[in-house]
Amino acid sequence: MRHQMARERPTNLPSFERQRDLILSERISRNIVFMSDTFETLRAKSALITGGLGFIGSNLAQRLVDLEVKVTLVDSLIPEYGGNLRNIEPFKEKVRVNISDIRDEHAMEFLVQGQDYLFNLAGQTSHVDSMNDPYTDLDINCRSQLSILEACRKNNPGITVVFASTRQMYGVPQYLPVDERHPIQPVDVNGINKMAGEWYHLLYNRVYGVRSCALRLTNTYGPRMRIKDARQTFLGVWIRNILRSDPLQVFGDGRQLRDFNYVDDVVDALLVAALSADSSGQIYNLGADDPVSLKATAEMLIELHGAGTYEIVPFPPDREAIDIGDYFADYRRIHSQLGWKPTVSLRAGLGKTLEYYRLHYADYV
Ligand SMILES: NC(=O)c1ccc[n+]([C@@H]2O[C@H](COP(=O)([O-])OP(=O)(O)OC[C@H]3O[C@@H](n4cnc5c(N)ncnc54)[C@H](O)[C@@H]3O)[C@@H](O)[C@H]2O)c1
């Protein structure tokens, strides 16, 4: 609990130089190469985060605010998705919030203007929902991505865009670990639409020179994720269940392997991708060094919480039809080109996540 309180930023923030030095030394000790002039580059710049009230977007927003970036968040706050105003409570006075839908082309044409960076994170994230309501997924994850890029091309071609893509588009892995050359064989509507969204970004980079790159995220978890249900990640609903003493449900035989990234590591990756001159037009996998089975993940969570149970249950048919089996990524490309590597172990990250939700449970259920 003490640790969580320390993560909430005080209102009387230390000077920019002090913060930069603190973050710089933290990053160096975490083996990520951040040059001090990189932080000077960000200071006073403007960044737009689509999906900024969501899980990853709000964690990124907090980091950018700490770095004295002028941050604007766009989010539709559709109740089934991960947006939550509580996510920005500690720093809400320091960001502009625009409750808009990225499907609104006129809003996006206006919002991209004057921005140095666009972190394009808004998305429909549920794989099952994408099968039940494929057109909404198409509109948000595919069509809107094209219109956002059109807005950039017409109104702000000098912007730098980082797109939150997904490992889902690889489908059932043909080999492990999965690198960026692995065939693309999406197993659900969401994977197809995210793929198209990603490729529009690369196309606009190549043809129109709108600097863009894509990070293919794997399972990301941490404070501020949606725990109401399994729409964002099964880990969310596991955290909810363990805190209300319900069993964790593990589908299948529980031996499926996954890799997980703690959200701070993903924020690091979004920043290095935005700041690097080498990232334009590139695709990068994120991943972790410690792939683990779902059963072992449930056991670790129970051990960290000091209580809880899990049950192995058959896959619900709608999930089984789109399951990808074992997956873990080869993230050597982003490591060798941009210096990124994950630094938070699953055990440490789950511990921090549990601490957060013990304090803030009521805001998320
Ligand atoms: N969390 C993961 O494990 C994971 C894995 C792979 C990819 N991603 C991608 O990362 C991005 C962020 O995911 P997240 O985990 O933070 O999920 P999230 O649901 O918390 O964040 C997405 C945000 O986008 C907003 N949004 C959705 N549709 C919108 C619309 N039409 N207009 C405006 N805002 C809209 C939601 O309200 C939400 O706040 C998504 O694009 C997702 O596909 C996440």
Side-chain angles (χ1 to χ4, degrees), residues 50-58 74-84 87 100-103 120-125 127 140-141 144 163-168 190 194 215-221 224-226 232-233:
T50 67
L53 294 175
F55 162 42
I56 301 171
S58 60
V74 190
D75 206 293
S76 56
L77 282 181
I78 296 168
E80 289 77 22
Y81 302 165
N84 186 338
N87 282 342
S100 305
D101 198 299
I102 57 164
R103 288 169 287 188
N120 194 8
L121 272 54
Q124 192 299 108
T125 62
H127 300 286
I140 296 175
N141 287 331
S144 297
F163 177 63
S165 186
T166 174
R167 59 112 166 99
Q168 187 70 7
N190 180 268
K194 289 291 285 190
L215 303 185
R216 289 184 181 157
L217 275 50
T218 188
N219 289 83
T220 306
Y221 70 99
R224 302 180 170 128
M225 67 184 174
R226 182 179 174 97
Q232 195 174 76
T233 154

Side-chain angles (χ1 to χ4, degrees), residues 132-295:
N132 296 331
D133 179 7
Y135 299 115
T136 298
D137 196 273
L138 178 74
D139 286 344
I140 296 175
N141 287 331
C142 180
R143 192 181 198 289
S144 297
Q145 304 309 317
L146 182 57
S147 56
I148 288 170
L149 288 159
E150 272 292 271
C152 293
R153 180 178 75 84
K154 288 188 204 148
N155 300 300
N156 188 0
I159 197 168
T160 296
V161 186
V162 182
F163 177 63
S165 186
T166 174
R167 59 112 166 99
Q168 187 70 7
M169 66 185 67
Y170 293 121
V172 178
Q174 294 182 1
Y175 57 84
L176 291 166
V178 174
D179 58 19
E180 292 86 350
R181 293 171 192 269
H182 187 284
I184 301 293
Q185 294 171 331
V187 292
D188 57 33
V189 167
N190 180 268
I192 294 174
N193 292 333
K194 289 291 285 190
M195 176 192 73
E198 178 192 276
W199 289 6
Y200 288 136
H201 283 77
L202 305 181
L203 181 81
Y204 271 62
N205 178 80
R206 187 168 54 80
V207 177
Y208 300 119
V210 177
R211 286 171 46 86
S212 309
C213 69
L215 303 185
R216 289 184 181 157
L217 275 50
T218 188
N219 289 83
T220 306
Y221 70 99
R224 302 180 170 128
M225 67 184 174
R226 182 179 174 97
I227 63 166
K228 256 184 202 164
D229 50 39
R231 280 200 163 86
Q232 195 174 76
T233 154
F234 66 89
L235 266 182
V237 84
W238 282 9
I239 295 276
R240 183 202 67 184
N241 281 10
I242 207 163
L243 290 177
R244 64 184 196 196
S245 304
D246 286 346
L248 316 183
Q249 290 200 320
V250 182
F251 297 149
D253 61 8
R255 287 190 297 186
Q256 308 91 307
L257 293 175
R258 288 286 183 278
D259 53 1
F260 298 95
N261 281 140
Y262 187 65
V263 66
D264 286 0
D265 282 330
V266 173
V267 168
D268 283 343
L270 291 162
L271 291 181
V272 290
L275 293 172
S276 164
D278 300 328
S279 63
S280 290
Q282 297 292 325
I283 294 164
Y284 298 107
N285 279 351
L286 303 191
D289 297 317
D290 49 359
V292 58
S293 73
L294 298 189
K295 186 165 160 289

Side-chain angles (χ1 to χ4, degrees), residues 16 20 23 34-43 67:
F16 172 80
R20 183 197 59 199
I23 296 170
F34 265 81
M35 305 301 292
S36 56
D37 59 353
T38 302
F39 289 99
E40 293 294 351
T41 311
L42 268 180
R43 184 184 193 185
L67 291 166

